């Protein structure tokens, strides 16, 4: 039997030198036993040596030798094909790794400047030398320190910095490189060496977000597209992969055009006998704002699942907790109970700081365009700067998708929203400048067409990283109302999603995106799916949580001197949410291991927040106070009362948290789409942000647990994957139908059907039932007269079970 190209269910592996293709091959039987149809691989192309994630690609033309190279990949695919399984790979078209001297294309650009055949590959402004912000100090100080030297490497002279960076020297300078004055030699190169601190202000090439080690690629150039995708097309042509997940699609100049081109190229390829014939499976990493649709004409199968992760997590939270938990946060932190002020401040700060150079170049592009438009006479660079700045303060989505000459209809609502939001910030008399920029984004403004395309591109490639860095990588680390609502793709301003809205979203998903991925844990998540499930319980018991937190603050007081209460509160949430299964208050070694994880999370959280520390200028004294607090709270010798209390509370809400965990599993595997299982999360996922969520997985333990007494979470995953294997049409093509509920607890469960040609799946999943679990209320007493629209009582369907999943014949409906 030839497996379908579109997966039935994925399993995500994070490959690196410590977990290779050979390691994955030994696990193929385990994946098959689970019911997985496709291995979903992190990037397999050659990344920077030692990369633990693969997104810093230095050579997209060959498979990473650290992972085993092409032979080992072929062996892995052979093992998968032998069990009628397939492969989806993660690809990185937006950027390449350029640090460490391993990128041949980048090195050629450094050597030959704009004359390099690869200069067109990178998004560089060649009006000046390429700025290389790799020095620890200004150039003059670095020269004086002797940290820059001329060395020979493979028969050529190179410039060596700190013994780490090796930079090529022009061919014209090779003969005299060893005898020239080093300052004069550097000045003759096609690049300008500078301190890393000038990157935000002076960088003249597009980077990935704020990472100087990742340079943006011009995938819109046909030559670049073919060069960077040739390996993927060959692997697909040889039947070694079945599709791709496109990383950070919004970083590209024209995401829609790119996706259509990728679809056309893959689907035009003839596949060998024995391989799925297509169409290729294509999903994109795309963050969708609340209410933002994904265009159905891009030629993709949907997103990689952050939108579903947001929907299902919001569904678990109780709406009534927004105000009491907001008040608790405001009382503790002294800051706003609402998320909006935190987002606005973060956008303002990052635009004025980390994205200053990119902002100025965007303004310059619009200024050049304005000079070619008759109606823009009198429009100054300052006016454009203020208008663009304020638009980016309030932009409601990652980006729009205009080309300068046209824009999709879906952009209209976005422009209307931003016009409404920005009005409060526009200086008097400058509203027309905002309107002019929005008209260019709509493809309706006048002026030179090429300049319009360039200006619109620069705006769109600035609005996306501002959203990512200001919201997810800054404001989410500052705002602590409830940390389970701060994750990739989430709307932290919203506490909950009601059941009817969830039904509507799933009906839309079944109609438009039946093959999109369904994720609840990823390599990018800030908190594991079971951390969020546990924290979601707090939304049902805000008063009890307040009393518990107030007590913990009292117990922490002797060790919390000099630590901002907001940081203490986020620490307490994290300690509770990620508390390892079975960790006892007396387990000194276990608590020490947990403290090490917490301190690593704490350092990242403090530096990403950029309030009291940062990556650029760490406040080591403040960080030490925070780390000392965390270690003290996890030390039985100093904080036994706290430890006993938090363990007791974890145990008290354990059944409610487990119910949330199983609800997530049921919804991920029963909804329209392709469920994605992130490595190791078939067991409890109590991980924190990377690198914690990329720790090695104990697969021997997982296989033992799978073969022996299977834990409830894993058992439910296996059961639902078995149903997907036995009734594929119900899940791949089946309609989604909401099922109405009546009675006293009608708002405490979600019921739905997936209807296929010959059978249907009916699910009833309890939601927000913490009161029952905490009070130990009997199921029949809890559900009372709550019933399906057909009249069946939930008390009869559920009994004491966590949920009800039944495969019915159509006659039983």
């Amino acid at each position: 039997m030839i497996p379908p190209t579109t997966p039935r269910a994925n399993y995500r592996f994070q490959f690196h030198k410590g977990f290779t293709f050979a390691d994955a091959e030994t696990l193929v039987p385990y994946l098959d036993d689970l019911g997985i149809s496709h291995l979903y691989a992190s990037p397999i192309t050659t990344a920077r040596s030692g990369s633990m994630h693969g997104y810093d690609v230095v050579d997209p033309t060959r498979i990473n030798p650290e992972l085993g190279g092409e032979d080992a990949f072929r062996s892995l695919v052979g093992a998968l094909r032998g069990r009628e399984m397939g492969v989806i790979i993660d690809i990185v078209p937006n950027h390449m790794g350029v640090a460490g001297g391993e990128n041949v294309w980048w090195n050629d650009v450094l050597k030959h400047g704009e004359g390099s055949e690869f200069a067109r590959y990178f998004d560089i402004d060649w009006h000046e030398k390429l700025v290389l912000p790799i020095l620890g100090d200004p150039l003059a100080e670095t020269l004086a320190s002797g940290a820059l030297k001329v060395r020979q490497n493979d028969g050529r002279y190179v410039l060596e910095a700190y013994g780490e960076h090796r930079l090529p020297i022009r061919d014209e300078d090779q003969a005299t490189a060893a005898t020239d004055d080093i300052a004069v030699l550097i000045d003759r190169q096609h690049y300008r060496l500078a301190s890393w601190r000038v990157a935000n202000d002076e960088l003249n090439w597009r980077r990935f977000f704020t990472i100087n080690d990742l340079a943006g690629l011009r995938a819109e150039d046909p030559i670049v597209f073919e060069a960077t995708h040739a390996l993927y097309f060959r692997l697909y042509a040889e039947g070694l992969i079945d599709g791709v997940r496109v990383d950070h699609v919004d970083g590209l100049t024209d995401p829609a055009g790119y996706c259509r081109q990728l679809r056309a190229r893959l689907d035009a390829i003839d596949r060998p006998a024995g391989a799925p014939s297509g169409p290729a499976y294509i999903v994109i990493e795309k963050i969708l704002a609340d209410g933002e649709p994904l265009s159905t004409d891009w030629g993709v199968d949907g997103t990689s699942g952050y939108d579903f992760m947001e929907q299902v997590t919001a569904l678990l939270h109780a709406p009534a907790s927004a105000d009491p938990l907001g008040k608790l946060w405001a009382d503790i932190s002294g800051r706003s109970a609402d998320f909006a002020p935190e987002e606005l401040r973060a956008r303002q700060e990052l635009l004025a700081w980390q994205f200053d150079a990119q902002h100025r170049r965007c303004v310059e592009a619009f200024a050049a365009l304005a000079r070619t438009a008759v109606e823009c006479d009198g429009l100054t660079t300052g006016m454009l700067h203020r208008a663009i700045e304020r638009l980016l303060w309030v932009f409601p989505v990652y980006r729009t998708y205009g080309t300068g000459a046209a824009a999709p209809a879906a952009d209209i609502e976005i422009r209307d929203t931003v016009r409404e939001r920005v009005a409060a910030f526009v200086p008097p008399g400058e509203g027309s400048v905002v309107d002019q920029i929005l008209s260019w984004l709509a493809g309706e403004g006048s002026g030179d067409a090429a300049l319009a395309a360039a200006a619109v591109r620069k705006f769109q490639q600035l609005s996306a990283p501002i959203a990512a860095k200001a919201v997810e990588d800054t404001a989410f680390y500052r705002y602590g109302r409830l940390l389970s609502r701060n994750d990739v793709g989430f709307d932290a301003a919203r506490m909950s999603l009601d059941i009817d809205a969830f039904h509507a979203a799933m009906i839309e998903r079944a109609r438009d995106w039946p093959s999109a991925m369904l994720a609840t844990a990823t390599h990018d998540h800030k908190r594991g799916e079971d951390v969020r499930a546990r924290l979601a319980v707090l939304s049902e018991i805000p008063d009890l949580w307040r009393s518990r937190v107030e007590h913990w603050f009292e117990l922490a007081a002797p060790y919390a001197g000099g630590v901002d209460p907001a940081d203490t509160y986020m620490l307490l949430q994290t300690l509770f949410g990620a508390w390892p299964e079975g960790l006892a208050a007396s387990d000194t070694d276990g608590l020490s291991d947990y403290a090490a994880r917490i301190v690593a999370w704490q350092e990242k959280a403090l530096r990403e927040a950029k309030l009291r520390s940062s990556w650029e200028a760490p406040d080591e004294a403040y960080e030490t106070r925070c780390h000392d607090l965390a270690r003290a709270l996890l030390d039985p010798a100093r904080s036994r009362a706290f430890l006993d209390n938090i363990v007791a509370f974890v145990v008290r809400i354990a059944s409610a948290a487990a119910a949330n965990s199983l609800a997530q599993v049921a919804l991920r595997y029963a909804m329209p789409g392709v469920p994605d299982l992130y490595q190791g999360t078939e067991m409890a996922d109590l991980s924190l942000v990377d690198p914690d969520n990329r720790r090695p997985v104990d697969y021997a333990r997982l296989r033992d647990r799978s073969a022996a007494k299977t834990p409830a979470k894993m058992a439910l995953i296996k059961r639902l994957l078995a149903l997907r294997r036995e009734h594929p049409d119900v899940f791949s093509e089946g309609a989604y139908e909401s099922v109405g509920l009546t009675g006293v607890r009608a708002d405490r469960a979600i019921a739905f059907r997936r209807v296929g040609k010959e059978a249907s799946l009916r699910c009833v999943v309890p939601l927000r039932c913490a009161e029952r679990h905490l009070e130990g209320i009997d199921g029949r007493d809890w559900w009372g007269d709550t019933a399906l629209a057909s009249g069946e009582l939930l008390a009869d369907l559920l009994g004491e079970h966590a949920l009800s999943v039944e495969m019915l014949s159509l006659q039983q409906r």
Side-chain angles (χ1 to χ4, degrees):
M1 176 181 174
I2 300 174
T5 305
T6 300
R8 184 179 67 246
N10 294 330
Y11 194 99
R12 169 77 176 202
F13 277 137
Q14 288 295 120
F15 287 106
H16 49 80
K17 64 181 181 180
F19 184 83
T20 66
F21 298 138
D23 295 315
E25 186 172 341
T26 67
L27 295 169
V28 170
Y30 169 71
L31 300 186
D32 188 25
D33 182 61
L34 275 180
I36 298 297
S37 72
H38 284 66
L39 185 156
Y40 167 30
S42 62
I44 64 171
T45 46
T46 302
R48 186 179 180 184
S49 296
S51 174
M52 296 300 288
H53 50 77
Y55 291 96
D56 45 358
V57 177
V58 296
D59 184 358
T61 69
R62 65 189 182 112
I63 296 178
N64 195 342
E66 286 193 344
L67 308 183
E70 186 160 328
D71 288 345
F73 183 69
R74 287 179 177 275
S75 180
L76 169 60
V77 174
L80 290 164
R81 294 301 192 206
R83 291 176 175 266
E84 300 176 359
M85 298 167 72
V87 184
I88 306 298
I89 63 170
D90 207 336
I91 67 172
V92 192
N94 176 67
H95 55 267
M96 292 184 74
V98 294
E102 298 181 77
N103 189 321
V104 174
W105 296 351
W106 184 254
N107 286 345
D108 196 78
V109 173
L110 298 183
K111 185 190 302 182
H112 299 293
E114 194 172 5
S116 167
E117 66 174 296
F118 301 108
R120 68 191 296 170
Y121 283 42
F122 302 97
D123 205 347
I124 302 168
D125 180 356
W126 285 108
H127 288 96
E128 55 185 314
K129 287 185 177 183
L130 187 151
V131 177
L132 278 187
I134 63 171
L135 304 180
D137 299 296
L139 177 58
E141 293 180 27
T142 307
L143 283 168
S145 72
L148 291 171
K149 301 181 184 301
V150 175
R151 305 282 196 196
Q152 271 207 325
N153 185 51
D154 293 333
R156 288 185 60 90
Y157 286 106
V158 299
L159 188 66
E160 185 179 273
Y162 309 109
E164 173 188 0
H165 301 281
R166 289 176 177 82
L167 308 173
I169 291 174
R170 299 188 315 160
D171 292 341
E172 301 92 316
D173 296 320
Q174 285 294 315
T176 58
T179 60
D180 279 4
D181 177 273
I182 193 168
V184 174
L185 178 67
I186 291 172
D187 189 57
R188 286 203 296 261
Q189 303 312 304
H190 294 289
Y191 48 84
R192 175 168 68 86
L193 292 179
S195 164
W196 65 271
R197 293 187 180 278
V198 311
N200 295 335
D201 300 321
E202 298 182 4
L203 204 67
N204 61 340
W205 45 274
R206 181 170 59 86
R207 59 186 173 176
F208 174 70
F209 292 170
T210 59
I211 304 174
N212 297 338
D213 292 347
L214 299 176
L217 282 167
R218 298 183 61 249
E220 69 273 15
D221 185 314
I223 290 176
V224 180
F225 179 87
E226 292 299 330
T228 54
H229 289 69
L231 174 64
Y232 311 138
F233 297 150
R234 177 171 67 81
L235 295 176
Y236 187 71
E238 295 181 21
L240 295 174
I241 64 172
D242 300 309
V244 298
R245 177 261 200 190
V246 180
D247 180 64
H248 191 50
V249 74
D250 275 341
L252 302 174
T253 291
D254 179 11
Y258 168 86
C259 289
R260 293 179 189 123
Q261 183 179 15
L262 182 64
R263 167 63 69 194
R265 289 287 280 107
L266 285 170
D267 286 354
I269 293 173
D270 290 329
R271 304 262 278 166
S277 59
Y281 184 66
I282 303 174
V283 291
I284 55 176
E285 186 208 28
K286 170 79 177 92
I287 303 299
L288 293 169
D290 183 31
E292 179 188 4
L294 177 63
S295 178
T296 57
D297 64 357
W298 284 18
V300 300
D301 291 286
T303 74
S304 56
Y306 297 133
D307 47 337
F308 179 76
M309 189 164 82
E310 153 68 340
Q311 291 162 343
V312 76
T313 302
L315 183 67
L316 298 179
H317 285 71
S321 67
D323 289 340
L325 289 179
K327 186 176 187 308
L328 175 60
W329 167 247
D331 290 346
I332 291 172
S333 68
R335 303 212 295 273
S336 173
D338 298 323
F339 180 66
E342 295 285 11
E343 177 179 352
L344 175 61
R345 179 184 173 187
R347 282 177 175 268
Q348 291 170 330
E349 291 176 351
L350 266 67
L351 185 60
W353 170 42
Q354 290 190 327
F355 293 92
D356 182 65
Q358 198 171 343
H359 182 199
R360 284 187 286 105
R361 294 184 187 280
C362 178
V363 172
E364 290 164 3
F366 277 98
L369 172 59
R371 288 192 289 271
T372 68
V374 175
E375 72 271 23
C376 293
D377 185 36
L379 193 156
T380 69
T381 299
M383 293 175 187
L384 288 167
H385 185 282
R386 288 187 290 275
I388 292 169
E389 174 185 67
R390 285 152 173 77
L391 285 169
L392 291 169
W393 286 355
V394 299
F395 218 67
V397 295
Y398 260 48
R399 59 170 290 169
T400 51
Y401 296 96
T403 61
D411 282 1
I412 295 173
E413 186 174 345
I414 295 169
R415 292 194 301 272
D416 289 344
T417 299
V418 77
R419 183 180 283 107
E420 179 181 338
R421 288 186 179 184
V422 80
F425 301 100
V426 177
E430 295 189 7
S432 61
V433 186
V434 167
D435 290 338
Q436 181 63 56
I437 292 170
L438 291 175
S439 71
W440 279 319
L441 292 178
E444 298 168 354
S446 62
D448 182 86
L451 293 177
V456 168
R457 170 176 63 85
K458 287 183 182 295
F459 184 92
Q460 292 172 156
Q461 288 183 320
L462 176 55
S463 66
I466 280 290
K469 293 303 293 182
V471 179
E472 293 172 8
D473 290 342
T474 302
F476 278 8
Y477 288 99
R478 296 179 176 183
Y479 181 70
R481 179 174 66 176
L482 189 59
L483 294 182
S484 48
R485 294 299 302 130
N486 299 7
D487 220 305
V488 180
F490 283 25
D491 179 4
R494 178 175 68 182
M495 178 60 72
S496 181
L497 181 68
D498 69 50
I499 292 172
D500 287 343
F502 185 85
H503 279 314
M506 295 307 108
I507 290 169
E508 180 181 298
R509 184 177 290 273
R511 181 190 69 222
D512 297 335
W513 306 110
S515 300
M517 280 192 193
L518 305 168
T520 51
T522 77
H523 62 286
D524 277 334
H525 68 232
K526 299 191 185 302
R527 287 159 199 89
E529 62 186 27
D530 295 314
V531 178
R532 298 194 307 272
R534 187 184 287 168
L535 288 172
V537 175
L538 304 181
S539 72
E540 300 184 68
I541 51 172
D543 294 337
L544 177 60
W545 172 243
R546 174 183 273 271
S547 66
R548 192 61 56 123
V549 166
E550 289 171 348
H551 182 48
W552 290 349
F553 261 90
E554 292 174 0
L555 295 174
Y559 314 108
V563 176
D564 189 293
D567 292 328
T568 300
Y569 183 48
M570 286 193 273
L571 169 64
L572 293 173
Q573 285 191 57
T574 302
L575 288 173
F576 165 75
W579 193 267
E581 285 189 310
L583 179 60
S586 58
D587 184 351
T588 303
D589 290 341
L591 290 167
S592 178
D593 290 343
Y594 189 38
R597 291 178 53 210
I598 291 294
V599 164
W601 160 81
Q602 200 175 43
E603 177 183 271
K604 183 167 186 173
L606 292 170
R607 294 182 182 184
E608 293 285 7
K610 309 170 193 67
L611 289 176
R612 285 164 289 276
S613 191
S614 66
W615 295 110
E616 292 77 7
D619 185 335
E620 294 181 0
Y622 183 75
E623 290 181 359
T624 297
R625 293 197 294 273
C626 292
H627 300 338
D628 287 348
L629 170 60
R631 293 189 180 102
L633 290 175
L634 293 172
D635 180 358
R638 291 183 282 175
S639 297
R640 187 57 187 260
F642 169 78
L643 291 170
D644 286 340
N645 201 283
I646 195 171
V647 168
F649 193 54
V650 168
V651 170
R652 183 175 179 185
I653 61 90
S655 61
N660 280 347
S661 175
L662 294 179
Q664 283 185 128
V665 169
L667 295 172
R668 185 170 84 240
Y669 285 96
M671 290 297 140
V674 175
D676 173 38
L677 176 55
Y678 182 66
Q679 60 179 29
T681 61
E682 54 269 47
M683 298 286 282
D685 175 20
L686 297 170
S687 62
L688 298 169
V689 70
D690 67 276
D692 193 71
N693 61 13
R694 302 174 189 178
R695 287 175 296 149
V697 177
D698 186 349
Y699 283 107
R701 177 171 175 263
L702 286 179
R703 283 183 290 200
D704 289 345
R705 298 297 294 274
S706 179
K709 185 177 180 181
T710 309
K713 182 181 180 184
M714 182 185 282
L716 182 58
I717 290 172
K718 293 183 72 170
R719 179 186 174 196
L720 290 168
L721 283 174
L723 291 177
R724 278 185 166 265
R725 178 178 264 161
E726 294 163 10
H727 304 277
D729 74 296
V730 171
F731 297 94
S732 63
E733 303 172 10
Y736 178 92
E737 296 179 356
S738 62
V739 174
L741 294 171
T742 60
V744 66
R745 305 287 186 194
D747 63 340
R748 300 302 180 92
I750 183 170
F752 58 91
R753 295 190 189 92
R754 298 297 312 284
V755 182
K757 296 175 182 177
E758 298 179 356
S760 69
L761 178 80
R762 185 181 67 190
C763 289
V764 182
V765 181
L767 300 171
R768 310 164 189 162
C769 297
E771 180 186 353
R772 178 199 167 192
H773 293 283
L774 267 65
E775 300 300 328
I777 302 173
D778 176 78
R780 190 164 296 278
D781 292 339
W782 171 259
W783 293 112
D785 65 348
T786 309
L788 301 181
S790 59
E792 294 169 273
L793 291 172
L794 261 62
D796 295 332
L797 282 174
L798 294 170
E800 295 301 315
H801 297 295
L803 45 84
S804 171
V805 178
E806 294 182 86
M807 188 63 68
L808 306 172
S809 68
L810 292 186
Q811 289 73 29
Q812 292 177 291
R813 285 186 58 199

